[in-house]
Amino acid sequence: MSFDNVYESLTEENDARWAFGTGFEDPLSGVDATIPDGVDAADLAAYCLMLGDDALIFSHRLQEWCTNAPELEDEVAIANIALDLLGQARLLLARAGRAQGLDGAEDRYAFLRDEQEFRNVRLAELERGDFGELTARLLVFSCWRLALLDRLTGSRDPVLAAIADKGVKEVTYHRDYAAQWAVRLGDGTEYSRERLMEGMASIWPYLGELFATHPIERALAAEGVAVDPAELREEFDNVLAQVMLAAKLGAPEAAPAAGVSARTGRDGIHTEAMGHLLAELQSVARANPEATW
Amino acid sequence: MTATVGGTRATTESGTASGARATTTSKPVMATVSGTRATTASGTRAETVSGTVTATVSGARSVAATVTDPELPMLTLDELGVLRSVAEDDDGRVVVSITPTYTGCPAMDAMRDDLEHALRDAGYADVEIRTVLAPAWSSDWISESGRRKLAEAGIAPPGSVRRRTGPVPLTLGPTVSRVVCPRCGSADTEEVSRFSATACKALRRCRSCAEPFEHVKEI
């Protein structure tokens, strides 16, 4: 689909759709999406959904900070971090679609799946807290994702490797941003320190899930396509310890949040916050199911 | 926007030195592609475009090279390093490859449309725009002339990207600034925000002349 300029695509054939018909191009347009030898296409698609959903859902939470950040500079930073993650999500969902032989699956995955079909870790979906909670969650999420993407640059799937290569450059800043705020708050006043520690305590129960290996991750890691998240723990702990030391904080203590029969976000088992999040994220697409995007 | 002469010169010199080095090492793909095109170009298009086979080969490419970036309109996509290759086959079909600066870059659609229209207007009926993800775009690919034009527009060009070995280093404190104010040439500048009007630029302030300015980030 092409237009005289990008804004013409807003109207397409039906003027009534102008508000949501943005005519986005496939972000993988022209990219060779051949599945590497010996790799199960369904597994690859499921893995791309895991990493893509982490980015999509956390991006949505970060977007909720628009007009709510404490200062203009942070407003801009948080919105751009959300945009980076949304860009990663688009590529990963499109990659999942290509692996399944579907074109334009990106929107369908984002807007028409039900809660139990989402594969994101539960940390990403938790309800938005205060700025201390944002700092804590962004710090933990980006320390983990950077370690993951850095290893994924060596993936045998060239598309995943390329997405990761780009993502590393972006998430490096996300981690620095969160870490610098953690130091400022932790080593600030008693009140700022308390707010950060409360934020840490609220997300801590969801930490273990980040490093639990799903059978699909294990199978694809053995094929040299995926990263086994259990391998990320040491680097994650080291980086977080550096930040906590500079912020003069000790690690919080909180019992891990239980799953359902040991099943968690990667299995489609989510917290109560997820349904509310999806209701908002999907409302326009669900109300206008025939709309083109 | 006019930069003072001293400031422009200072920025351009530092930008040029690092940029030229980086460009030669990281753009071999472009050279190979143009080489291939030179041998496969057809004479048919040559008539319409400029008369000789060699000129045809650069025909589609030179048209694509005039298209400017939607968010940094003083630069062409070629100077920005976003235009990765322009290939033309025997039937006059043109395939243009571009790469995003940032994964979520919202200007990609505008770039595609602008490229497609420039080529169609120049007589190329069959145009395909492809996305190339690997290797990831680096600010090192901004050409020497691109860096000069940025500085002239009051935007500090990027320095060279530091290569790393081992894990990504964590930055907890302020980093040593190597960014020179494009207005007064002072190196005493500070970052105000990592993002400014676009994802690829940071907002900085000069402590000498107190003016804010944008800086294309090293990535």
Side-chain angles (χ1 to χ4, degrees):
Chain A
M1 205 177 303
S2 94
F3 304 92
D4 280 342
N5 72 59
V6 72
Y7 301 106
E8 277 183 23
S9 60
L10 287 172
T11 52
E12 294 180 25
E13 287 147 22
N14 179 355
D15 282 351
R17 294 174 184 167
W18 69 270
F20 46 88
T22 45
F24 283 130
E25 299 262 356
D26 176 359
L28 286 180
S29 166
V31 172
D32 181 6
T34 317
I35 311 269
D37 285 345
V39 175
D40 183 89
D43 279 0
L44 179 63
Y47 183 62
C48 292
L49 286 182
M50 292 176 184
L51 302 188
D53 287 347
D54 291 340
L56 175 71
I57 300 301
F58 192 41
S59 173
H60 184 84
R61 281 293 180 227
L62 292 170
Q63 288 164 47
E64 291 177 343
W65 277 93
C66 285
T67 74
N68 288 310
E71 288 200 28
L72 186 58
E73 285 75 15
D74 296 296
E75 177 82 26
V76 173
I78 297 164
N80 275 285
I81 291 170
L83 180 64
D84 285 343
L85 290 175
L86 188 63
Q88 293 174 20
R90 289 194 61 196
L91 288 167
L92 287 161
L93 297 192
R95 202 322 169 229
R98 289 290 185 83
Q100 299 275 44
L102 308 166
D103 272 335
E106 175 196 346
D107 286 339
R108 204 170 51 75
Y109 282 135
F111 299 123
L112 299 177
R113 270 183 302 161
D114 290 329
E115 181 180 324
Q116 68 276 11
E117 295 171 281
F118 278 83
R119 294 286 174 266
N120 57 284
V121 291
R122 291 179 297 173
L123 179 86
E125 77 208 28
L126 301 175
E127 220 159 296
R128 176 168 72 90
D130 64 6
F131 193 75
E133 192 273 339
L134 167 79
T135 304
R137 180 152 37 150
L138 185 58
L139 176 65
V140 164
F141 184 84
S142 53
C143 283
W144 170 68
R145 192 168 178 88
L146 184 55
L148 196 164
L149 292 181
D150 197 25
R151 283 161 182 76
L152 197 62
T153 56
S155 171
R156 212 153 62 74
D157 176 26
V159 182
L160 270 180
I163 296 170
D165 196 27
K166 191 89 209 158
V168 164
K169 297 182 180 206
E170 295 163 350
V171 182
T172 297
Y173 168 67
H174 305 176
R175 191 181 70 174
D176 285 348
Y177 175 81
Q180 288 169 16
W181 264 114
V183 172
R184 240 172 266 153
L185 296 177
D187 192 17
T189 64
E190 202 171 307
Y191 182 58
S192 69
R193 176 193 168 82
E194 191 183 301
R195 295 270 292 266
L196 177 63
M197 281 313 282
E198 277 174 18
M200 280 287 183
S202 71
I203 59 151
W204 212 251
Y206 299 92
L207 196 70
E209 193 180 324
L210 304 181
F211 307 99
T213 312
H214 187 277
I216 287 179
E217 289 173 315
R218 187 173 294 112
L220 284 179
E223 295 279 355
V225 169
V227 174
D228 182 347
E231 289 170 15
L232 310 174
R233 189 69 203 236
E234 194 185 338
E235 181 182 327
F236 174 89
D237 285 344
N238 283 338
V239 176
L240 197 68
Q242 283 178 52
V243 179
M244 297 299 258
L245 183 68
K248 300 184 180 161
L249 296 174
E253 282 183 26
V260 174
S261 308
R263 297 192 306 149
T264 58
R266 289 279 188 253
D267 310 293
I269 302 296
H270 295 282
T271 64
E272 189 182 341
M274 186 67 172
H276 296 281
L277 183 151
L278 289 179
E280 170 147 353
L281 174 70
Q282 301 182 330
S283 60
V284 177
R286 296 245 185 204
N288 302 277
E290 92 295 357
T292 52
W293 296 76
Chain B
M1 222 185 279
T2 332
T4 56
V5 176
T8 311
R9 196 180 296 135
T11 320
T12 313
E13 278 164 9
S14 61
T16 309
S18 51
R21 212 184 315 121
T23 314
T24 23
T25 50
S26 48
K27 269 195 169 172
V29 180
M30 190 74 91
T32 325
V33 176
S34 357
T36 319
R37 259 185 289 126
T39 53
T40 57
S42 72
T44 338
R45 290 238 42 100
E47 304 270 322
T48 9
V49 181
S50 54
T52 70
V53 173
T54 331
T56 316
V57 173
S58 54
R61 192 186 149 71
S62 63
V63 172
T66 61
V67 177
T68 54
D69 180 74
E71 290 178 337
L72 293 168
M74 70 295 288
L75 291 197
T76 63
L77 294 178
D78 191 28
E79 288 169 322
L80 188 57
V82 156
L83 185 66
R84 295 288 274 274
S85 68
V86 182
E88 188 182 345
D89 69 14
D90 291 343
D91 303 323
R93 177 179 151 77
V94 178
V95 177
V96 180
S97 298
I98 55 174
T99 195
T101 53
Y102 278 69
T103 310
C105 179
M108 284 294 279
D109 284 352
M111 291 179 192
R112 290 168 167 281
D113 280 352
D114 291 350
L115 280 166
E116 198 172 326
H117 280 91
L119 286 161
R120 284 189 198 283
D121 290 349
Y124 295 91
D126 192 0
V127 179
E128 189 194 338
I129 317 286
R130 287 184 186 164
T131 308
V132 179
L133 295 179
W137 181 82
S138 163
S139 53
D140 282 351
W141 294 352
I142 300 178
S143 71
E144 202 177 311
S145 62
R147 284 160 198 272
R148 196 186 60 241
K149 289 179 186 175
L150 283 172
E152 282 167 5
I155 300 172
S160 57
V161 178
R162 267 178 260 174
R163 304 280 160 226
R164 76 175 160 96
T165 48
V168 184
L170 175 71
T171 311
L172 284 176
T175 45
V176 180
S177 160
R178 292 173 301 162
V179 183
V180 172
C181 171
R183 290 177 180 275
C184 74
S186 167
D188 188 15
T189 65
E190 61 181 348
E191 185 177 282
V192 177
S193 166
R194 189 75 68 100
F195 295 95
S196 61
T198 62
C200 56
K201 286 177 292 174
L203 185 64
R204 299 186 72 89
R205 180 164 36 219
C206 174
R207 289 199 192 92
S208 288
C209 70
E211 288 292 331
F213 65 93
E214 290 190 304
H215 165 230
V216 176
K217 289 175 282 186
E218 293 82 16
I219 186 174

